[in-house]
Amino acid sequence: MSRVAHVNGTYLPHRHARVSIDDRGYQFADAVYEVIAIRGDRLIDAERHLDRLDRSLRELRMASPMSRVALRAVMDEVIRRNMVSDGIIYLQLSRAVAPRDHPFPAKARTQLVMTARRSRPEPEAWAREGVRVITQPEIRWARCDIKSTALLPNVLAKQMARESGAFEAWFVDRDGMVTEGSSTNAWIVDESGQLITRPPSDAILNGVTRQAVVDLARGEQLRLVERPFSLDEARAAREAFLTSTTANVMPVTMIDGHKVGQGGVGEFTRKLRQRYVEANAVSA
Amino acid sequence: MSRVAHVNGTYLPHRHARVSIDDRGYQFADAVYEVIAIRGDRLIDAERHLDRLDRSLRELRMASPMSRVALRAVMDEVIRRNMVSDGIIYLQLSRAVAPRDHPFPAKARTQLVMTARRSRPEPEAWAREGVRVITQPEIRWARCDIKSTALLPNVLAKQMARESGAFEAWFVDRDGMVTEGSSTNAWIVDESGQLITRPPSDAILNGVTRQAVVDLARGEQLRLVERPFSLDEARAAREAFLTSTTANVMPVTMIDGHKVGQGGVGEFTRKLRQRYVEANAVSA
């Protein structure tokens, strides 16, 4: 089966789907996006993703291309046409197609591209054994709360991770504090059993899986503290993990080549992952 | 006459020129670009632009799509087909077209888009009367030396300038130092007649016009100092100006609503602009 993409109201074969060279997403990264997981024919946390999309649009003063109801209808159609039961749907919205010039064009019509593909969750073996992260200097812009396509620093960090045999790179700011991963949020469990993750701010993207795990932790009455933590704290932590739409709750067993805790998957992390999987009926 | 664009070896009407939705320039801002001025059928400082393009590619470990000789031939053809005697040529190179995934794709074929259009230099009246700048917090990433398309912060700053009735926004870092404008380099002349501009580093793009003016100043044996300057210094300066491919040497007479010097175009700036125009036979 060949994939189908939605481009501004038209459905066409993915491999033929194109945007104008004057699309501001292409020329200026003047665009936002979302990736939503589909598990067993269900969208996971779609409303939270669409709330965040609305926020990104608002922060950049971009217009929504259509109502949420209409957007959901297009999403359903894209999923249907791609016959995706388990996978992801990708939405990218750019400000406009307009002759190249930095300021917002006078007439801006938000451009919508939507694709879907089948994919599995990250291998269960990774969740069983845990993954490695490396750290990289935080070099991104100061508005990481906006889910824009200005992802070049994230690309470079992920590539460094890949070349180091690691799953992810965690950014560390100039104060020695971990911000987040290149496409994931970062968490630790300290020696006292306290769960720690950075609170939403302009330094991180408020991950939807992050929000779900915060809720989960509160529901389970775990000792959750939202505060920045340092790389030193992360190295001394009992457990560490990361969260994202595609990785769910993924144990981290090594940071920059140093074992986290005993080097195995922590109890706390295992339990949280299990709860998350159960709550979303995610195939584990 | 309708414009013609070059896309990976093919010439086609600009309005029909498209790139894949899987172009990494579109999805990740994993792309670099150059804008080169054409004045009286001549490319201005083309070799310096292409040197910088090579550097951007190298820093991002992207392959050149072709030799410089071949690239120059394509540039000539794009200019010829668009019948541009005075205007600009735009080159954008992205890493690859590949299924969306942050790390570099295993097989990356650099994508090339090239366009040209007729345009005039900024109005001479602006150069005669000077332009206004506002300041904005420096929120960009830490590798502004790479001319990437991750331009969203630049877009936002330029938009703020536009809405304030200003020509440009100068970024000011957390130490109170001016880095550069959203698409221009920043210069001042202090009370003692010293010409000051920030030296190349990862905090600014080393503008080609900037380089040309540095050479000019050295040739004229002006007292040039390459060092960062603060916003306070800029406000207290005798003269200020900005440089870019399209603005040449543009006097700045107001910063954040405060007059620079007496509020008119400075002698030093006027002279430098004149020398630059003469050196490049730029229509003034």
Side-chain angles (χ1 to χ4, degrees):
Chain A
M1 190 207 74
S2 62
R3 294 171 66 197
V4 174
H6 173 103
V7 181
N8 294 319
T10 306
Y11 292 88
L12 61 179
H14 187 111
R15 67 180 180 284
H16 295 145
R18 286 172 168 68
V19 292
S20 168
I21 57 171
D22 283 337
D23 187 294
R24 290 176 63 92
Y26 176 67
Q27 294 183 336
F28 290 113
D30 193 6
V32 297
Y33 73 104
E34 286 291 333
V35 178
I36 309 176
I38 305 159
R39 304 285 178 231
D41 290 310
R42 286 195 317 116
L43 284 160
I44 305 298
D45 288 327
E47 289 302 302
R48 270 185 162 153
H49 281 282
L50 296 179
D51 286 347
R52 186 172 63 186
L53 179 63
D54 282 345
R55 181 181 182 281
S56 293
L57 290 170
R58 224 165 33 236
E59 291 295 314
L60 297 181
R61 297 160 56 195
M62 283 171 57
S64 261
M66 59 185 75
S67 70
R68 183 170 299 194
V69 171
L71 196 65
R72 296 280 318 226
V74 175
M75 289 166 63
D76 288 346
E77 184 64 13
V78 168
I79 293 168
R80 193 187 68 75
R81 290 196 187 219
N82 286 283
M83 295 188 270
V84 176
S85 292
D86 290 279
I88 56 152
I89 183 163
Y90 175 79
L91 291 73
Q92 180 166 341
L93 291 79
S94 63
R95 186 182 306 278
V97 170
R100 188 178 185 280
D101 194 18
H102 284 67
F104 303 167
K107 288 180 191 167
R109 182 173 156 251
T110 304
Q111 305 289 302
L112 172 65
V113 167
M114 214 185 285
T115 63
R117 67 177 165 84
R118 297 176 192 173
S119 63
R120 299 183 165 285
E122 307 294 358
E124 185 56 22
W126 294 2
R128 257 197 324 268
E129 291 163 26
V131 297
R132 299 165 182 212
V133 304
I134 59 166
T135 58
Q136 288 280 292
E138 177 60 272
I139 59 166
R140 298 176 304 160
W141 75 322
R143 290 302 307 273
C144 292
D145 57 313
I146 300 172
K147 198 166 172 74
S148 89
T149 58
L151 290 168
L152 181 54
N154 307 62
V155 161
L156 298 177
K158 191 74 99 182
Q159 177 64 17
M160 290 305 293
R162 175 71 53 97
E163 291 178 12
S164 306
F167 178 82
E168 178 62 297
W170 281 2
F171 290 112
V172 178
D173 69 18
R174 57 163 109 174
D175 301 320
M177 310 302 279
V178 174
T179 51
E180 62 183 334
S182 72
S183 65
T184 62
N185 289 115
W187 304 67
I188 58 171
V189 179
D190 74 5
E191 270 308 316
S192 76
Q194 198 162 248
L195 181 60
I196 306 168
T197 197
R198 193 167 179 124
S201 73
D202 52 17
I204 68 165
L205 185 79
N206 190 0
V208 166
T209 308
R210 180 199 172 283
Q211 295 169 46
V213 172
V214 164
D215 288 351
L216 208 60
R218 287 191 179 129
E220 301 269 332
Q221 300 186 300
L222 301 179
R223 286 189 296 145
L224 168 70
V225 186
E226 289 184 83
R227 68 162 174 84
F229 60 85
S230 69
L231 176 56
D232 288 342
E233 283 181 282
R235 284 181 173 157
R238 187 197 287 176
E239 303 183 23
F241 63 93
L242 53 83
T243 53
S244 81
T245 292
T246 53
N248 299 336
V249 174
M250 182 65 74
V252 170
T253 49
M254 223 170 230
I255 299 173
D256 287 335
H258 302 282
K259 280 183 193 169
V260 177
Q262 304 302 311
V265 174
E267 277 316 302
F268 209 114
T269 305
R270 195 192 312 272
K271 197 164 82 178
L272 264 180
R273 179 177 171 91
Q274 197 183 332
R275 293 276 189 284
Y276 180 81
V277 166
E278 286 165 5
N280 292 288
V282 177
S283 59
Chain B
M1 189 207 78
S2 62
R3 294 171 65 196
V4 174
H6 173 103
V7 181
N8 294 319
T10 305
Y11 293 89
L12 63 178
H14 188 111
R15 66 180 182 283
H16 296 145
R18 286 173 167 69
V19 293
S20 168
I21 58 171
D22 283 338
D23 188 295
R24 290 176 63 93
Y26 176 67
Q27 294 184 334
F28 291 113
D30 193 6
V32 297
Y33 75 104
E34 285 291 334
V35 178
I36 310 176
I38 305 159
R39 303 286 178 231
D41 290 311
R42 285 196 317 115
L43 284 160
I44 306 297
D45 289 327
E47 289 302 302
R48 269 185 164 153
H49 281 282
L50 296 178
D51 286 347
R52 186 172 63 186
L53 179 63
D54 283 344
R55 181 180 182 281
S56 294
L57 291 170
R58 225 165 33 234
E59 291 295 314
L60 297 181
R61 295 159 57 194
M62 283 170 58
S64 261
M66 58 185 75
S67 70
R68 184 170 299 196
V69 171
L71 197 65
R72 296 281 317 229
V74 175
M75 289 165 63
D76 288 345
E77 184 64 13
V78 168
I79 292 168
R80 193 187 68 76
R81 291 195 186 222
N82 286 282
M83 295 188 272
V84 177
S85 291
D86 290 278
I88 55 153
I89 183 164
Y90 176 80
L91 290 73
Q92 180 166 342
L93 291 80
S94 63
R95 186 182 306 278
V97 169
R100 189 179 185 279
D101 194 17
H102 283 67
F104 303 167
K107 287 180 191 166
R109 181 173 156 252
T110 304
Q111 305 288 302
L112 172 65
V113 167
M114 214 184 286
T115 63
R117 67 176 164 85
R118 297 176 193 173
S119 63
R120 298 183 169 284
E122 307 295 356
E124 185 56 22
W126 294 2
R128 256 196 326 265
E129 290 162 25
V131 297
R132 298 164 183 214
V133 304
I134 60 166
T135 58
Q136 288 280 292
E138 176 60 273
I139 60 167
R140 297 175 305 160
W141 75 322
R143 290 302 307 273
C144 292
D145 57 313
I146 300 171
K147 199 167 172 72
S148 89
T149 57
L151 290 169
L152 181 53
N154 306 62
V155 161
L156 298 177
K158 191 74 99 185
Q159 177 64 16
M160 290 306 291
R162 175 70 55 97
E163 292 178 11
S164 306
F167 177 82
E168 178 60 300
W170 281 3
F171 290 113
V172 178
D173 70 18
R174 58 162 108 175
D175 302 320
M177 310 303 279
V178 174
T179 51
E180 63 182 332
S182 72
S183 66
T184 62
N185 288 115
W187 305 67
I188 57 171
V189 179
D190 74 5
E191 271 307 318
S192 76
Q194 198 161 248
L195 180 61
I196 306 169
T197 197
R198 195 169 176 122
S201 73
D202 53 16
I204 67 165
L205 185 78
N206 190 0
V208 166
T209 309
R210 181 200 171 283
Q211 295 169 46
V213 173
V214 164
D215 288 351
L216 208 59
R218 287 193 179 128
E220 302 270 330
Q221 298 187 301
L222 302 178
R223 286 190 296 146
L224 169 70
V225 186
E226 289 185 83
R227 67 161 175 82
F229 61 85
S230 69
L231 176 55
D232 289 342
E233 283 181 282
R235 284 182 173 157
R238 185 196 289 178
E239 303 183 23
F241 62 92
L242 51 82
T243 54
S244 81
T245 290
T246 54
N248 299 335
V249 175
M250 181 65 74
V252 171
T253 50
M254 223 171 230
I255 300 173
D256 286 335
H258 302 282
K259 280 184 193 167
V260 177
Q262 304 303 312
V265 174
E267 277 315 302
F268 209 114
T269 304
R270 196 191 312 271
K271 195 164 83 179
L272 264 180
R273 180 178 169 89
Q274 197 183 330
R275 292 275 190 285
Y276 180 80
V277 166
E278 287 164 4
N280 293 288
V282 176
S283 60

